[in-house]
Amino acid sequence: MGDFDFKVINAEAEIQHMIDEIKRYFVENGNKDTKAVIGISGGKDSTIAAALLVRALGPERVFGVLMPDGDQKDIKDSVAVCEALHIPYRVHNIGPVTKMFAGMIGDAYNKPIVNTNTPARIRMATLYAVAADIGGRVINTGNASELYVGYTTKYGDLAGDFAILKDYYVREILEISSKDNVQEKIAKKRFSANEKSQLIDKLTKEMRAAAKLLEFEHAAYLRDQIEKIKNS
């Protein structure tokens, strides 16, 4: 881990920068029909990334892929994002595949490092299959906070052809998400219980890593963000 660049961002300028980068990437790595294939979880990262893609390319060139692992009650959030952005989407339930994989490797699947990372790798394989089918590029929705603390899966959510949010920490993404010009087509929603828990976990790991590196200003900021999310 390198030194943390604690900066105050101009959210509107960063939004325009990301839109310009999306346009540049698809000019250099596709044609007018090449689509952006993105996994839609219903969470903040994939929602913001999808909204930026729509602004840059138009809804007809953004394709959502919903990948619940068995019965997922909050899949309606993913559907709501796609419908709000007017993007086409498919639902591919990876549950049967994860169960088959678990049966194949037996007890090894009970190890957390296996059963927490396998679904992410199956989802990425699914995204690439869809991209090959419709002529697209896979969008990575990971952020800098996840990279900072290693909250990622090799060959899973670390993969992708183009990473929109890779240079932005969670706190910066939250600032960007608050701007109406990103979420103008998306109804603002509170964090789900699962999303809140995952986000607090990510921020806590980032805060502890920052404190160990004596990056106290960053750690203090993250502590405040955690409290705000807990009370949201």
Side-chain angles (χ1 to χ4, degrees):
M1 294 182 219
D3 293 337
F4 175 76
D5 180 17
F6 189 88
K7 61 184 179 181
V8 177
I9 67 168
N10 180 328
E12 292 182 355
E14 295 299 333
I15 289 167
Q16 188 58 53
H17 170 71
M18 285 187 279
I19 290 172
D20 291 342
E21 284 298 296
I22 292 167
K23 290 179 178 179
R24 178 193 60 78
Y25 175 83
F26 278 87
V27 167
E28 296 176 355
N29 297 275
N31 56 50
K32 62 181 179 62
D33 297 318
T34 303
K35 295 177 174 58
V37 177
I38 180 171
I40 303 292
S41 68
K44 292 288 184 184
D45 287 352
S46 64
T47 298
I48 294 164
L52 291 166
L53 288 165
V54 167
R55 290 191 63 193
L57 304 174
E60 68 282 354
R61 291 183 62 192
V62 182
F63 196 93
V65 185
L66 286 56
M67 297 169 284
D69 187 0
D71 183 23
Q72 184 175 314
K73 294 181 180 179
D74 61 355
I75 193 68
K76 64 183 184 298
D77 292 338
S78 303
V79 173
V81 170
C82 294
E83 291 180 346
L85 291 172
H86 304 292
I87 63 174
Y89 67 92
R90 294 181 188 171
V91 179
H92 290 296
N93 195 318
I94 68 168
V97 181
T98 56
K99 287 182 180 179
M100 181 176 65
F101 187 84
M104 179 184 70
I105 65 171
D107 291 342
Y109 197 78
N110 294 326
K111 294 183 178 180
I113 194 171
V114 178
N115 60 45
T116 59
N117 288 305
T118 295
R121 293 179 176 128
I122 293 172
R123 287 189 173 102
M124 188 54 66
T126 302
L127 288 173
Y128 271 101
V130 172
D133 179 36
I134 68 173
R137 302 289 182 268
V138 174
I139 303 301
N140 177 307
T141 61
N143 62 62
S145 292
E146 294 169 335
L147 292 172
Y148 188 84
V149 299
Y151 201 94
T152 56
T153 298
K154 189 176 182 181
Y155 306 121
D157 55 5
L158 263 182
D161 298 317
F162 181 61
I164 299 174
L165 304 175
K166 66 180 177 61
D167 296 324
Y168 298 89
Y169 289 87
V170 168
R171 68 173 187 84
E172 295 167 338
I173 293 171
L174 291 175
E175 288 181 43
I176 290 169
S177 73
S178 70
K179 295 298 178 181
D180 288 341
N181 57 356
V182 171
Q183 293 200 337
E184 60 190 356
K185 294 185 178 179
I186 303 170
K188 290 183 173 65
K189 67 183 185 70
R190 296 172 65 86
F191 290 108
S192 67
N194 183 55
E195 184 180 6
K196 182 184 290 188
S197 175
Q198 290 180 348
L199 184 55
I200 289 172
D201 186 37
K202 291 179 185 178
L203 288 173
T204 299
K205 289 181 178 180
E206 185 181 347
M207 178 183 69
R208 290 172 179 167
K212 287 181 180 179
L213 294 173
L214 305 182
E215 296 167 353
F216 298 120
E217 186 177 21
H218 180 203
Y221 183 94
L222 290 169
R223 180 196 59 205
D224 292 342
Q225 291 298 308
I226 291 169
E227 290 304 313
K228 288 180 181 177
I229 293 168
K230 285 181 178 178
N231 296 324
S232 66

